[in-house]
Amino acid sequence: MSLSHRASAITLSVTLALDARAKALADQGHDIINMSVGEPDFAAPKVVQDAACRRVQSGDVKYTPAAGMRSLRKAIGEHVGAIRGTAPYAIDEVTVCHSTKHALSGAVLSIVDPGDEVLLFLPAWVSYVEIVRIAGGVPVAVPSRADCGPDFSAIERAITSKTKAVLLNSPSNPTGYVWSADEVRRLAELCERKKLWILSDEIYRRLVYEGEPNLSPASLGPAIRARTIILDGASKSYAMTGYRIGFVAAPKEVAAGVERLHSHLTGAPNTISQDAYQAALVGSEPLEVAQMCAEFDRRRRWLIDALRGMGLAVPWPRGAFYAFPDVRAYLDERGTRGFCEDVLEQQDLALVPGTAFGVDTHVRLSYALSLDKIKLAAERLGKFLQAHPTRAAAASATR
Ligand code: GLU
């Protein structure tokens, strides 16, 4: 049986594959600590749950227009305008999607033609490369600074006559790096000068724990707003991963392109989640959100200290819920993939190898799980590192 080139060339998402493997091992009775997938361990806020239940019980769970319910598009447009300090996005500038991943793929399919290049800043989230490839585009990896911030000379060098867009993800998955306002401004100026789109994946925007909040390029004035495609959703800010709901907020031509695509590929997201998301967005922010962020912050500080205490270099993450330590001293020829396989097999601890994000030097730990589990995970990782001498120590022992 032969598959299309498209389907044969694509790899399964490493994060989702690892999460499935960790869960399967747990089902077989292994005492797994799963730090692989980035999924808040909190329940969605009460208003969200109530709205979902009300919709189910009304019996009115039907198709909605492909771009989503008008009331939700309005709520999203007002919400984005309020948090980004811009005029509200109009209803026709918003398309509701099944997730932020779905919003991103719709946006990429709407603006990228075969051969167009899209710049991705390394380390870059696992699905970016594949989504650009599915659209026939060419992902161009741009290295970052050692602290995981943007390297503008590398970005300028990577731009060619075929560059169509840059993909900004701040706070970043997997590093937790939050671009400073100056960095966002610089990128915006560059994109205006070179006439590029900015695909701005803002799914972690609410999860910034210190310093200046995350800035969207869209906040920098009408000219750059007209080049910015905001991709966001409910999963991380409202602990609504399983609801599968997100959106594109962009110039109306892009929002309409995504709507047309989705009208054939998927249809609108389910009505229950649309109502639930609307309940999260209207009025004041549900109290549970700030509580969840405070708890993530506590775990972040504890985990980074613990990893540094083990002698690992870890970029300080201002946002998201990942730690990204450098483990290259411990790697053999199998790289970070082999490291993660060994940690899973020997310590029942699931981590994500840096190769999933385009760098084979670091591993990702999600701290979206309880502090007790994080403490146990750190103990297991510490034991693993102690049992495996660094390459330098192994070399000097054989001399
Ligand atoms: N974005 C999350 C992660 O990186 C969820 C899983 C996925 O969609 O990749 O773990």
Side-chain angles (χ1 to χ4, degrees):
M1 190 175 62
S2 71
L3 291 182
S4 67
H5 290 300
R6 190 181 306 108
S8 319
I10 215 95
T11 54
L12 191 64
S13 158
V14 177
T15 43
L16 296 185
L18 272 166
D19 183 48
R21 183 158 168 220
K23 285 178 177 149
L25 285 168
D27 286 347
Q28 286 161 25
H30 292 261
D31 173 25
I32 299 285
I33 301 182
N34 186 0
M35 295 182 115
S36 67
V37 79
E39 172 162 47
D41 54 319
F42 300 92
K46 176 91 170 47
V47 284
V48 167
Q49 297 180 23
D50 289 348
C53 291
R54 271 199 308 274
R55 174 59 83 164
V56 172
Q57 283 161 358
S58 75
D60 179 19
V61 182
K62 304 290 183 195
Y63 292 138
T64 73
M69 304 183 316
R70 286 183 69 79
S71 58
L72 174 57
R73 292 165 77 195
K74 181 165 180 289
I76 291 171
E78 284 171 0
H79 174 75
V80 176
I83 59 171
R84 291 312 182 194
T86 64
Y89 279 70
I91 289 180
D92 60 2
E93 293 178 307
V94 174
T95 296
V96 185
C97 303
H98 291 248
S99 63
T100 306
K101 192 184 278 192
H102 187 230
L104 174 65
S105 54
V108 168
L109 285 166
S110 297
I111 62 163
V112 170
D113 278 319
D116 285 347
E117 296 174 357
V118 178
L119 304 195
L120 311 176
F121 307 127
L122 290 183
W125 177 57
V126 54
S127 294
Y128 292 156
V129 166
E130 300 292 28
I131 288 174
V132 172
R133 280 197 188 129
I134 291 169
V138 180
V140 176
V142 183
S144 298
R145 300 190 310 247
D147 67 348
C148 301
D151 174 346
F152 280 95
S153 27
I155 297 174
E156 296 239 18
R157 276 198 306 277
I159 296 177
T160 71
S161 58
K162 293 190 175 151
T163 310
K164 191 67 174 279
V166 303
L167 210 166
L168 170 65
N169 174 218
S170 172
S172 151
N173 173 5
T175 65
Y177 186 88
V178 184
W179 285 44
S180 70
D182 276 350
E183 288 164 345
V184 176
R185 223 168 263 125
R186 226 173 134 183
L187 183 74
E189 280 162 14
L190 184 62
C191 291
E192 241 179 291
R193 188 153 40 88
K194 303 279 187 182
K195 306 207 177 328
L196 306 178
W197 287 106
I198 303 182
L199 290 155
S200 185
D201 177 352
E202 303 183 1
I203 184 66
Y204 294 97
R205 57 136 192 107
R206 181 62 183 81
L207 307 178
V208 177
Y209 309 107
E210 60 185 44
E212 48 182 350
N214 148 270
L215 178 73
S216 173
S219 302
L220 297 172
I224 196 65
R225 177 179 155 165
R227 302 204 152 274
T228 303
I229 301 172
I230 294 179
L231 311 154
D232 196 355
S235 293
K236 317 294 183 183
S237 302
Y238 302 101
M240 288 173 65
T241 47
Y243 286 79
R244 310 313 296 141
I245 192 101
F247 66 85
V248 172
K252 63 178 192 243
E253 294 75 13
V254 176
V258 175
E259 175 185 8
R260 287 197 301 275
L261 279 160
H262 290 176
S263 72
H264 294 290
L265 293 173
T266 55
N270 77 75
T271 330
I272 303 159
S273 295
Q274 290 197 55
D275 261 9
Y277 194 23
Q278 189 169 315
L281 294 179
V282 295
S284 48
E285 180 181 86
L287 285 177
E288 294 94 325
V289 174
Q291 288 161 358
M292 176 178 78
C293 291
E295 180 57 22
F296 280 145
D297 186 21
R298 195 164 79 100
R299 298 168 183 184
R300 171 184 74 119
R301 291 171 191 280
W302 192 94
L303 179 62
I304 304 301
D305 278 353
L307 293 170
R308 289 184 172 173
M310 293 174 206
L312 298 174
V314 196
W316 184 253
R318 279 211 296 125
F321 39 56
Y322 307 107
F324 200 57
D326 183 337
V327 294
R328 80 187 87 181
Y330 292 90
L331 301 180
D332 60 23
E333 64 292 345
R334 296 170 304 145
T336 52
R337 198 171 281 261
F339 179 94
C340 290
E341 273 166 18
D342 292 349
V343 175
L344 182 57
E345 197 174 293
Q346 294 166 31
Q347 294 294 335
D348 283 340
L349 173 61
L351 313 176
V352 184
T355 45
F357 311 101
V359 296
D360 201 12
T361 46
H362 293 59
V363 293
R364 191 189 80 175
L365 290 75
S366 160
Y367 54 83
L369 67 178
S370 74
L371 193 52
D372 284 346
K373 283 195 182 152
I374 292 172
K375 289 184 175 168
L376 202 53
E379 204 179 299
R380 292 183 187 184
L381 183 61
K383 271 195 211 147
F384 179 86
L385 297 182
Q386 268 168 17
H388 294 76
T390 60
R391 277 191 314 222
S396 69
T398 55
R399 269 204 291 274

